[in-house]
Amino acid sequence: RDQKRNPLYMSSASSSGSDSESSDSDPFAEERRRDQKRRRREAEDEAREARKREKRAKKEKKEKKKKEPEKKPTAEELDADLGAYTSGRGGVEEAPAPAAEAAA
């Protein structure tokens, strides 16, 4: 039992089991397994980095979208604009009656 669980015994030719038989027939099997693990790890790392880049890009895009709101005009500025507008039209005209009063 201990020989099957211990990886040191598994690599020896005296151990029995399907793992040792396949490694005996193919001396490069262990190397291929290591390469597969390494490639899998690298792919996972790349995927993790890609997710980080995407998240960072979204955050930067969100920050770019945020603009300072336009400064609201003060009452004095609005009064000045209204005065300039009305003087340009030739004076203040009386506003037409609302539709509700006209219908009554």
Side-chain angles (χ1 to χ4, degrees):
R1 284 185 184 167
D2 292 334
Q3 290 178 348
K4 287 184 180 180
R5 291 183 187 165
N6 190 337
L8 297 174
Y9 287 107
M10 291 184 82
S11 62
S12 69
S14 63
S15 66
S16 62
S18 61
D19 289 340
S20 64
E21 291 173 4
S22 64
S23 64
D24 287 343
S25 63
D26 187 4
F28 300 106
E30 185 65 30
E31 187 177 341
R32 275 201 303 274
R33 275 194 295 269
R34 271 189 258 126
D35 285 346
Q36 285 176 342
K37 282 184 178 180
R38 181 183 47 80
R39 282 192 220 112
R40 192 177 309 124
R41 241 181 287 129
E42 288 173 354
E44 289 170 354
D45 290 345
E46 286 178 28
R48 191 177 306 112
E49 289 298 320
R51 285 191 300 269
K52 283 182 182 180
R53 281 192 301 271
E54 288 175 8
K55 191 174 183 180
R56 210 175 302 127
K58 282 183 182 179
K59 188 176 180 181
E60 289 173 2
K61 188 175 181 182
K62 192 181 260 188
E63 288 175 359
K64 283 183 182 179
K65 282 185 179 179
K66 292 181 183 177
K67 293 182 180 178
E68 290 187 27
E70 292 184 21
K71 180 184 163 193
K72 291 185 179 180
T74 62
E76 292 81 24
E77 291 171 339
L78 290 173
D79 287 342
D81 288 345
L82 180 61
Y85 173 76
T86 54
S87 67
R89 289 196 58 192
V92 178
E93 295 180 14
E94 193 162 319
E101 291 178 13

